[in-house]
Amino acid sequence: MPSPPPLTSLRVIEFAGLAPSPFAGLLLADAGASVLRIDRATPGSAPPLPTPDLLTRHKASLAVDLKSDSGVALLHKLIPHVDILIDPFRPGVMEKLNLGPEVCLKWNPRLIYGRLTGFRRDGKYATMAGHDVNYLAVSGALSLLGRAGENPHPPVNLLADFAGGGAMLVVGILMALVARASTGRGQVVEQNMVDGASYLATFVRFAQGTATGNRPRGKNLLDGGCPFYDTYKTKDGGYMAVGALEPHFYRELLKGLGLQGSRWDGKGQGDRAGWEEMRRVFAEKFKEKTRREWELVFDGTDACCTPVLGYGEMKGDIAAKEGDQRPAVTLRETPLLAVRKDARNTSHGQGPGVDGEGYVGRPLVPGKGGAKVVEEWLGWKEGREFTVRDGGMVLKDVSKL
């Protein structure tokens, strides 16, 4: 029988942000941590509206008036009892709230204080607003992305926001937890998306000094310059992805395409002078069949040729398309929480799942579930230790706590 998820005993306060910081909290929550999102209170009698954040799986929310002394005081009382804090704000915001790392680590020396910014805190862009495309741009990574002759183009906001930001912040938090196990002390973990994206591009940067990547953008082996590492449109408007780099995989690709014995067989693979003609021939061949027909040709082979699947079709054909959403990693002894509420998925997650098959985010209304988490953490009761005022939770009587 598996044990509980690996981070079950950890308590996390995640100040509400967008994209990368909620993703960091999501990774921790899926691993069993108790994650409490701190939302801004919305005064008024109308029920609060859900926030734009959809990365709320396994989380609860606490609405707090950060402009109120009693609201901030409530956080002052919570922080000594948590393990991890996630700060998504620009430099200086938490300090203005008297919630900066120096103060919080004084109250709780074991606290892991995770800070996530877009630009470097000590760089020339530190005070400027930005988005994923800007962080990629100044990291150098954006200069590597895109087709030859076209503008550099970001892969939506996957690379800087989520990989270089949220995921890398969690890597730092886990490192700090390991260090705390031996030192007994927490620490500040600073992550920015510029450094995160730059680090993720390590191999590509190194490859610029080799035959793999020493040509201009879009003319290298892995960036669209190579016809046997590319995507091709099929007869029905679908796409197939080709990654037949090694000679034995390449031969399997030619076999599936019916091109054995062609001029590109054998040494022809490495003849760059013929690559554009090869690309044209490959494109014509792929248009001869539907995507499904090509799947039947290449499934089970080593041609490194697979369909380009869309999430919409994966939802409706889970068994055939490997579309079931699972936790990011599988820990056999302490598996992560289930991503969806479906008994069939029990071998790929432990404990409660969520509605929506993992493809649909569920907005979290500010304040939902927060009182229950505070009671679980500290034994506090509404009306005794805290109350709700102007849409936010505040300490009932600061002098008695």
Side-chain angles (χ1 to χ4, degrees), residues 147 220-232 241-245 253 279 282:
R147 292 283 187 177
N220 296 286
L221 192 66
L222 303 177
D223 64 1
C226 171
F228 44 90
Y229 197 88
D230 208 340
T231 59
Y232 292 93
V242 173
L245 294 173
L253 174 67
R279 190 190 309 275
F282 282 6

Side-chain angles (χ1 to χ4, degrees), residues 131-342:
H131 283 294
D132 182 286
V133 66
N134 306 113
Y135 313 138
L136 283 184
V138 302
S139 76
L142 185 58
S143 69
L144 306 172
L145 305 174
R147 292 283 187 177
E150 298 180 3
N151 295 349
H153 193 76
V156 291
N157 64 333
L158 288 175
L159 186 50
D161 276 357
F162 292 102
M168 291 296 277
L169 176 63
V170 171
V171 171
I173 288 172
L174 296 178
M175 290 179 181
L177 287 170
V178 172
R180 190 179 76 174
S182 58
T183 67
R185 299 190 304 275
Q187 60 182 295
V188 178
V189 178
E190 289 190 354
Q191 178 60 31
N192 69 78
M193 296 169 222
V194 173
D195 289 340
S198 179
Y199 199 88
L200 289 167
T202 297
F203 169 79
V204 185
R205 293 200 318 272
F206 291 172
Q208 290 184 314
T210 72
T212 299
N214 61 0
R215 290 174 171 77
R217 179 180 65 252
K219 294 187 177 182
N220 296 286
L221 192 66
L222 303 177
D223 64 1
C226 171
F228 44 90
Y229 197 88
D230 208 340
T231 59
Y232 292 93
K233 195 171 185 177
T234 60
K235 183 178 180 179
D236 59 343
Y239 291 90
M240 295 294 289
V242 173
L245 294 173
E246 292 80 2
H248 49 296
F249 299 153
Y250 175 74
R251 288 193 295 270
E252 288 294 312
L253 174 67
L254 294 185
K255 179 181 177 182
L257 291 174
L259 292 173
Q260 304 112 304
S262 66
R263 60 168 290 193
W264 301 285
D265 211 341
K267 294 182 180 179
Q269 181 183 13
D271 181 14
R272 284 181 175 267
W275 276 8
E276 286 311 306
E277 184 180 355
M278 182 192 296
R279 190 190 309 275
R280 178 182 59 78
V281 172
F282 282 6
E284 291 175 353
K285 292 296 290 187
F286 276 108
K287 286 182 180 179
E288 292 177 0
K289 299 179 187 292
T290 66
R291 199 194 73 183
R292 178 56 182 161
E293 289 171 332
W294 284 119
E295 288 183 61
L296 295 174
V297 170
F298 288 111
D299 280 0
T301 74
D302 282 343
C304 299
C305 186
T306 55
V308 177
L309 303 177
Y311 284 120
E313 65 179 305
M314 292 170 72
K315 286 192 296 183
D317 197 3
I318 288 176
K321 298 292 194 305
E322 296 192 4
D324 54 317
Q325 291 286 282
R326 302 179 182 181
V329 296
T330 298
L331 303 180
R332 292 298 180 187
E333 297 302 320
T334 56
L336 278 64
L337 293 173
V339 174
R340 60 187 186 131
K341 188 181 293 184
D342 189 335

Side-chain angles (χ1 to χ4, degrees), residues 72-126:
V72 174
L74 183 142
L75 293 176
H76 289 181
K77 294 298 181 181
L78 273 180
I79 286 170
H81 301 278
V82 304
D83 297 282
I84 300 163
L85 182 150
I86 297 176
D87 164 21
F89 303 124
R90 287 202 207 185
V93 171
M94 291 291 278
E95 283 79 359
K96 289 180 180 178
L97 295 171
N98 197 29
L99 292 170
E102 289 186 5
V103 172
C104 291
L105 284 167
K106 183 178 180 180
W107 297 333
N108 183 357
R110 289 178 56 81
L111 179 68
I112 309 298
Y113 196 112
R115 315 197 81 175
L116 182 59
T117 59
F119 297 115
R120 291 176 173 175
R121 287 178 173 271
D122 59 351
K124 63 180 289 187
Y125 305 107

